[in-house]
């Protein structure tokens, strides 16, 4: 009697989060008796979720199949890609693979949660982790955090290429350009499925290079030659921090750092060599009053108006060490994440009321870390996948990204605008959604 084994050559691709939402990105790829996970992110709660700190994906499918899981492969160190790790590791201690800075930021996070038995593996771009039926390769890309990678999963059915978050920056601050050559090699071998992020899929054109922000900062510092300057940005945007430091150096200003995550990231990034701060430039926040206004820059968290952040506390006069005064220049070097507009505008109003000058939402002091339409099209042209599944974004972003792919000539039946939990079964000839797995929001 011959045993009929069903679906032996089908690869399953499932998102546990990140579709029809911004945040908690997590993708599961299952082939034969092996499972790999790409990213394990969190998202922030809605206004209605009172008393909730973070939202993480439901991982009951992973717990049920824990013996099959070979690892969590991290594309980069943003919270929406690593934030769920402490909660997941408490349930299943899976090995984690990521580039040096990603692992460094994960370590900070695990320490806060007192987890010290994690199996952390530092990889470099082009490294390949070999499993029995899959090989997982890291490919350098560009994003608003150093060490961001795309992930290629090699199988005997073809390659699954997950872009992770990316933009195409031909003049990145660290000179490390996306590995376009490797993408072309993979494309020649044959990419079966592309998963590409859709955050900026609604935006025409291309995202500007991070480098353009340096000139914008220089201009503002030059004009504010008598003011104290406070710059708010994302702690993890280390290239932005580097540019603030470079500009401070040009204008002979010392730098102080405010906000817990900013202090943590500056320490880790300096230690790992991602941030270069000239000797004697960094001063203690307690010492800023010892300097003239035009001798200091304060780098702070709070660019999203988060109520407990350092900038929000300065705005409401609750910060213990920094008092906003007439003539201060405050630069908000970030764009509000959808949903945060009200919070940030409240902070900006309070800062203006205290007599400060506030510069915000201007294109020369911030650029996005995500690819816009022309970059997305280029990625599709380079990868040349057979099938496509838009990733990371609200429904309209996924839908517009699908339309872009069609515009580029992909047949609509090869495009899958999936929901979290949909099971896409795929082999070298065909792809189809065959069912769902349990998913949802876990409130912590
Ligand atoms: Zn990101
Ligand atoms: Zn992201």
């Amino acid at each position: 009697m011959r045993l009929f084994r069903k679906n032996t050559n089908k690869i399953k691709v499932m998102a546990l989060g990140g579709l029809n939402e911004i945040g908690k990105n997590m993708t599961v790829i299952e082939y034969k008796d092996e499972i790999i996970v790409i990213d394990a992110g969190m998202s922030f709660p809605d206004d209605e979720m009172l008393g909730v700190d973070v939202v993480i994906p439901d991982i009951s499918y992973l717990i049920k199949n824990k013996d099959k899981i070979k690892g969590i492969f991290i594309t980069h160190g943003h919270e929406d890609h690593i934030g769920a790790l402490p909660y997941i590791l408490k349930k299943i201690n899976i090995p984690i693979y990521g580039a040096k800075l990603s692992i460094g930021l994960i370590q900070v996070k695990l320490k806060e949660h007192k987890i010290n038995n994690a199996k952390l593996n530092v990889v470099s771009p082009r490294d390949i982790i070999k499993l029995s039926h899959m090989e997982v390769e890291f490919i350098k890309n560009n994003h608003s955090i150093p060490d961001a990678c795309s992930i290629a999963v090699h199988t005997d059915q073809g390659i699954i290429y997950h872009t992770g978050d990316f933009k195409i920056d031909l003049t990145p601050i660290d000179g490390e350009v996306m590995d376009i050559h490797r993408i072309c090699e993979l494309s020649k071998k044959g990419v079966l499925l592309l998963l590409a992020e859709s955050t900026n899929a609604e935006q025409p054109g291309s995202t500007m290079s991070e480098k353009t922000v340096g000139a914008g900062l220089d201009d503002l510092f030059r004009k504010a030659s008598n003011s104290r300057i406070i710059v708010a940005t994302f702690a993890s945007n280390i290239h932005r921090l580097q540019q603030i430091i470079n500009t401070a150096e040009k204008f002979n200003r010392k730098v102080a750092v405010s906000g817990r995550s900013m202090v943590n990231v500056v320490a880790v990034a300096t230690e790992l060599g991602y941030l270069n701060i000239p000797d004697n430039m960094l001063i203690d926040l307690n010492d800023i009053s010892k300097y003239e206004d035009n001798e200091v820059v304060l780098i702070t968290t709070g660019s999203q108006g988060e109520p407990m952040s350092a900038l929000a506390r300065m705005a409401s006069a609750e910060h213990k060490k920094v008092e906003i005064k007439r003539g201060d220049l405050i630069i908000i070097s970030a764009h509000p994440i959808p949903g945060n507009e009200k919070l940030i505008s409240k902070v900006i109003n309070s800062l203006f009321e205290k007599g400060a000058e506030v510069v915000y939402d201007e294109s020369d002091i911030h650029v996005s870390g995500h690819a816009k339409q022309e970059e997305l099209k280029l990625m599709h042209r380079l990868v040349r996948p057979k099938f496509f599944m838009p990733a990371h974004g609200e429904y309209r972003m996924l839908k517009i990204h699908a339309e872009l792919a069609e515009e580029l000539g992909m047949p609509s039946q090869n495009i899958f605008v999936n929901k979290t939990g949909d099971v896409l079964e795929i082999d070298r000839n065909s792809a189809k959604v065959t069912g769902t797995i349990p998913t949802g929001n876990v409130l912590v």
Side-chain angles (χ1 to χ4, degrees):
M1 193 182 96
R2 271 177 59 199
L3 255 172
F4 179 63
R5 290 176 64 194
K6 199 170 151 260
N7 290 342
T8 42
N9 287 325
K10 300 273 190 205
I11 306 163
K12 288 182 188 169
V13 180
M14 305 157 267
L16 290 182
L19 300 180
N20 296 350
E21 66 177 334
I22 294 287
K24 69 177 181 40
N25 297 296
M26 193 169 194
T27 308
V28 177
I29 299 176
E30 180 170 351
Y31 189 36
K32 297 184 176 171
D33 57 351
E34 292 180 323
I35 286 178
I36 62 161
V37 180
I38 297 176
D39 291 331
M42 51 153 270
S43 60
F44 292 101
D46 289 344
D47 294 346
E48 302 99 66
M49 302 178 189
L50 283 173
V52 175
D53 292 329
V54 297
V55 182
I56 61 166
D58 177 344
I59 55 157
S60 48
Y61 184 78
L62 295 179
I63 291 172
K64 204 173 127 202
N65 292 284
K66 63 174 188 290
D67 298 332
K68 292 185 179 178
I69 307 173
K70 301 299 164 188
I72 304 183
F73 298 82
I74 300 296
T75 59
H76 65 288
H78 278 154
E79 289 296 333
D80 56 326
H81 298 259
I82 66 169
L85 282 174
Y87 309 98
I88 292 170
L89 292 187
K90 280 174 196 167
K91 297 210 163 86
I92 30 176
N93 194 7
I94 320 162
I96 296 168
Y97 298 84
K100 189 165 76 171
L101 181 68
S102 312
I103 296 291
L105 294 170
I106 290 168
Q107 274 171 326
V108 172
K109 183 169 278 303
L110 296 182
K111 211 171 156 188
E112 284 173 4
H113 286 260
K114 301 190 169 58
I115 295 173
N116 44 31
N117 62 343
K119 301 169 198 159
L120 302 176
N121 302 278
V122 174
V123 298
S124 304
R126 293 207 179 189
D127 276 1
I128 297 180
I129 291 95
K130 292 191 167 140
L131 309 172
S132 303
H133 309 293
M134 295 186 267
E135 294 184 357
V136 186
E137 177 177 0
F138 284 78
I139 293 136
K140 168 131 212 76
N141 74 26
N142 294 121
H143 185 39
S144 47
I145 187 168
D147 265 4
C149 289
S150 301
I151 286 177
V153 183
H154 300 254
T155 74
D156 59 9
Q157 300 299 308
I159 295 164
I160 296 177
Y161 193 90
H162 195 314
T163 64
D165 287 353
F166 79 101
K167 67 190 275 186
I168 298 178
D169 191 340
L170 300 175
T171 53
I173 299 303
D174 57 6
E176 299 273 343
V177 187
M178 173 186 278
D179 195 349
I180 294 168
H181 300 100
R182 185 61 186 149
I183 299 174
C184 294
E185 284 171 10
L186 296 175
S187 152
K188 264 190 197 158
K189 284 176 123 185
V191 175
L192 180 64
L193 173 69
L194 171 68
L195 291 105
E197 72 130 321
S198 313
T199 313
N200 274 346
E202 295 167 292
Q203 313 280 330
S206 296
T207 295
M208 296 288 278
S209 172
E210 175 64 31
K211 207 155 244 180
T212 58
V213 174
L217 289 172
D218 283 0
D219 270 352
L220 287 174
F221 274 55
R222 191 173 298 115
K223 285 180 199 146
S225 54
N226 292 317
S227 303
R228 187 168 63 166
I229 299 178
I230 298 173
V231 189
T233 191
F234 279 112
S236 60
N237 198 336
I238 291 159
H239 291 145
R240 187 70 47 82
L241 302 183
Q242 186 67 59
Q243 298 203 90
I244 298 165
I245 286 160
N246 295 349
T247 299
E249 191 184 15
K250 273 184 213 162
F251 292 89
N252 287 317
R253 287 177 185 252
K254 302 277 186 194
V255 169
V257 176
S258 170
R260 189 173 58 113
S261 60
M262 192 65 80
V263 171
N264 282 343
V265 170
V266 166
V268 173
T270 308
E271 189 192 316
L272 297 178
Y274 291 88
L275 194 58
N276 295 308
I277 307 179
D279 291 343
N280 304 321
M281 183 190 238
L282 211 54
I283 58 167
D284 197 286
L285 192 56
N286 291 309
D287 293 339
I288 51 169
S289 53
K290 294 181 188 162
Y291 294 86
E292 296 294 328
D293 285 347
N294 63 2
E295 291 174 341
V296 286
V297 182
L298 182 56
I299 304 178
T300 179
T301 54
S303 64
Q304 296 301 309
E306 309 92 316
M308 299 306 290
S309 67
L311 186 66
R313 282 183 282 127
M314 290 174 206
S316 59
E318 284 161 19
H319 197 287
K320 290 196 182 76
K321 295 171 184 175
V322 185
E323 197 180 329
I324 300 295
K325 55 188 183 190
R326 188 159 296 281
D328 283 348
L329 170 67
I330 292 149
I331 301 170
I332 298 179
S333 182
H335 188 73
I337 293 172
N340 290 346
E341 295 88 350
K342 266 190 200 158
L343 289 173
I344 187 68
S345 96
K346 189 174 163 223
V347 168
I348 290 170
N349 279 321
S350 306
L351 292 168
F352 271 121
E353 277 168 24
K354 296 202 157 44
E357 185 66 36
V358 189
V359 179
Y360 59 97
D361 212 9
E362 285 182 20
S363 61
D364 50 355
I365 50 163
H366 175 68
V367 295
S368 172
H370 299 278
K372 296 186 180 173
Q373 288 178 352
E374 294 305 312
E375 293 155 277
L376 293 173
K377 288 184 199 167
L378 180 56
M379 182 59 89
H380 283 258
R381 288 285 189 222
L382 290 170
V383 176
R384 296 186 302 180
K386 180 165 184 160
F387 299 103
F388 170 54
M389 176 178 153
H392 300 181
E394 294 176 19
Y395 180 73
R396 61 177 198 280
M397 303 166 188
L398 305 178
K399 188 81 183 102
I400 287 171
H401 199 175
E403 284 163 12
L404 277 184
E406 259 188 88
E407 217 177 281
L408 294 168
M410 183 176 277
S412 61
Q413 67 269 22
N414 287 19
I415 302 170
F416 294 87
V417 181
N418 285 0
K419 295 184 294 295
T420 295
D422 282 348
V423 179
L424 179 68
E425 288 201 19
I426 185 165
D427 65 15
R428 65 165 68 87
N429 302 311
S430 65
K432 192 174 153 194
V433 175
T434 57
T436 56
I437 56 169
T439 54
N441 290 331
V442 175
L443 312 178
V444 183

